[in-house]
Amino acid sequence: DLAEKEMDNPTFRSDTVLSDVHLHCPSKRHLMVRLNAVGQPVFLSYFKLLWSTEDLASGKHVREVTTGGEHQCRSGDELCDKDRSNTKKEGELNSEGVEALLDDDGDLEVVRRPRSSSDLQAEDLLRDIVCPVILMKGTEDAFEDEGQECTCNDVVKIEHTMATPLEDVGKQVWRAAFLLADYILFKRDTFRCCSVLELGGGTGITSIIMGTVAKRVYCTDVGEDLLAMCEQNVALNKHLMESGGGEIKVKELDWLKDEFCTDPEAPYSWSEEEIADLLDHCSVIMAADVFYDDDLTDALFRTLYRITHNLRNSCTVYLALEKRLNFTLRHMDVTCEAYSHFRNTLNDLENLQDGKMKYTVEPIKPEFCQFLVYERIEQL
């Protein structure tokens, strides 16, 4: 009977989670630089900024950028409708040109010419390598050259893993972090000189972007190995924050505990002065792609309530996530249970009536400019 019952309720489990961000972004390359403390390969990737930090500091408009054959013209507030129409006209001309290349049978005649070595070299300069490249022993010079090449102010360097167990997903790079980073750069005047707390900072990419405009950012997560990776990423991108004078502090914040970690012997613990600074000055809290487990979602909202309850000033919380659709046998349909639980919990917070706190929720449509090169999908 027990066996029959189990067959009626089959459950499929997988202990490996993979972010596909690195497959869609035209990074120069993904270098495997080391193994972390638990033996996972750590890669170093370069993520292109469409607006350098020097432009941000001066308030200049974004330059025109062509990525992946797609023309993107970004002004201070909106996309250029003129360029949208131009792109459409170009597409129409291309389709007419293709028809002109068809033979009598309707097959496409492709005219090719011999390619010289100089042509191949020129193509290599333009084409981005998106496959992982393993940095082998004895090739340290190649890595150093890559690092020197990418010290400019329009590249974010991030160490990350590519596939992990579910409990280590913070070591990967996720799309919602880019979406939130885009919003920060789009509304940079809103965040200028603010004190900010990030919950579930992971690799730290969103905190690093926030650090280019904010006064101080507390980037928090849990796990010494993850926090060490985050701290390394902050150090790799220190030059991005120099113009704005921002500061990023990497700290431990466990949502399953009711207090800040203040043990001086523990790495990434809080000092009493840092806790006081956070509670006295924090006006922005943010979190990206942290809603994938119902228990952790509940824990995050409890932490959110506890912290906002103790803040001296009112605070705005920015939450970004990707709706991940899955087919489940239980529903026999495509569902997004983690997102549904997030929305229900968010509604509970908005409807909270305890006489102490009041929360209002406002959706933000992701129609603002894109400042980082990644695939902005409709599920964000």
Side-chain angles (χ1 to χ4, degrees):
D1 292 341
L2 180 60
E4 290 179 0
K5 183 177 181 182
E6 290 299 325
M7 289 298 293
D8 290 338
N9 297 281
T11 302
F12 298 93
R13 299 182 182 277
S14 174
D15 60 354
T16 301
V17 181
L18 172 66
S19 169
D20 62 351
V21 165
H22 63 282
L23 298 177
H24 297 284
C25 65
S27 302
K28 182 87 179 194
R29 61 179 56 185
H30 303 277
L31 290 171
M32 177 182 161
V33 292
R34 61 184 172 88
L35 296 177
N36 61 20
V38 294
Q40 298 164 338
V42 175
F43 292 82
L44 177 64
S45 295
Y46 305 99
F47 298 103
K48 182 75 172 176
L49 275 166
L50 302 183
W51 198 345
S52 72
T53 52
E54 294 173 352
D55 293 332
L56 290 173
S58 62
K60 294 180 180 178
H61 290 297
V62 184
R63 60 188 179 278
E64 293 184 2
V65 179
T66 303
T67 56
E70 194 174 301
H71 184 73
Q72 295 176 336
C73 178
R74 309 292 181 182
S75 64
D77 296 315
E78 59 185 9
L79 289 170
C80 297
D81 293 331
K82 179 181 178 181
D83 288 324
R84 283 202 188 102
S85 61
N86 288 341
T87 303
K88 183 177 180 181
K89 291 178 181 178
E90 290 172 2
E92 293 172 352
L93 291 174
N94 288 339
S95 63
E96 294 174 0
V98 168
E99 291 179 2
L101 294 174
L102 299 180
D103 62 14
D104 295 337
D105 297 328
D107 298 324
L108 180 65
E109 290 185 343
V110 180
V111 180
R112 294 186 174 90
R113 63 178 176 82
R115 299 170 67 184
S116 65
S117 59
S118 59
D119 292 333
L120 295 174
Q121 291 174 358
E123 184 182 79
D124 287 340
L125 294 175
L126 297 174
R127 179 177 296 173
D128 293 321
I129 303 173
V130 297
C131 57
V133 177
I134 299 179
L135 184 66
M136 302 298 293
K137 185 176 181 180
T139 59
E140 287 83 357
D141 292 341
F143 174 65
E144 290 175 0
D145 293 340
E146 192 80 30
Q148 292 173 0
E149 182 181 343
C150 294
T151 54
C152 51
N153 288 334
D154 61 353
V155 171
V156 182
K157 294 179 285 186
I158 297 293
E159 284 193 1
H160 64 97
T161 58
M162 287 191 178
T164 63
L166 186 61
E167 60 268 20
D168 286 336
V169 292
K171 297 176 182 177
Q172 300 188 54
V173 182
W174 301 94
R175 276 195 197 86
F178 288 100
L179 184 72
L180 187 52
D182 275 345
Y183 187 76
I184 292 166
L185 294 176
F186 180 66
K187 292 286 189 179
R188 58 195 178 279
D189 291 338
T190 301
F191 303 107
R192 202 175 300 280
C193 299
C194 287
S195 184
V196 181
L197 169 67
E198 181 173 13
L199 301 174
T203 60
I205 186 169
T206 309
S207 283
I208 290 167
I209 296 299
M210 179 64 85
T212 64
V213 293
K215 177 182 179 181
R216 182 173 293 114
V217 181
Y218 290 97
C219 182
T220 69
D221 216 307
V222 65
E224 185 175 347
D225 193 52
L226 172 58
L227 292 171
M229 177 188 288
C230 181
E231 190 172 51
Q232 169 69 3
N233 287 333
V234 171
L236 286 172
N237 296 280
K238 189 176 181 180
H239 62 284
L240 296 177
M241 294 163 274
E242 289 176 350
S243 59
E247 176 187 21
I248 299 178
K249 294 191 174 186
V250 179
K251 296 293 176 182
E252 177 182 321
L253 204 162
D254 191 340
W255 307 337
L256 301 177
K257 297 179 181 179
D258 293 333
E259 301 294 337
F260 292 94
C261 176
T262 56
D263 182 1
E265 300 296 325
Y268 307 105
S269 62
W270 296 72
S271 67
E272 296 296 336
E273 292 77 12
E274 289 168 337
I275 295 175
D277 174 68
L278 176 72
L279 298 180
D280 288 343
H281 301 105
C282 179
S283 59
V284 174
I285 298 177
M286 61 181 183
D289 249 332
V290 296
F291 306 103
Y292 56 90
D293 178 88
D294 291 354
D295 293 335
L296 288 178
T297 296
D298 294 338
L300 182 140
F301 275 98
R302 288 195 298 268
T303 300
L304 194 62
Y305 175 81
R306 174 173 58 84
I307 292 176
T308 53
H309 179 71
N310 290 300
L311 292 179
R312 172 173 292 186
N313 304 308
S314 60
C315 179
T316 305
V317 183
Y318 296 90
L319 305 175
L321 70 158
E322 178 182 342
K323 287 201 264 185
R324 293 180 175 84
L325 305 174
N326 298 288
F327 180 85
T328 62
L329 292 173
R330 182 173 57 172
H331 296 93
M332 292 303 293
D333 198 0
V334 175
T335 63
C336 190
E337 294 181 291
Y339 176 75
S340 299
H341 185 79
F342 157 73
R343 289 305 302 262
N344 291 335
T345 311
L346 187 65
N347 290 337
D348 292 342
L349 186 69
E350 185 177 24
N351 297 327
L352 182 68
Q353 296 180 354
D354 62 355
K356 301 176 182 178
M357 301 290 294
K358 177 178 175 56
Y359 298 88
T360 57
V361 177
E362 178 183 353
I364 300 175
K365 294 183 179 180
E367 297 173 352
F368 41 87
C369 298
Q370 185 167 339
F371 298 94
L372 282 149
V373 179
Y374 67 100
E375 186 186 32
R376 187 185 285 187
I377 60 176
E378 64 180 8
Q379 286 78 24
L380 284 171

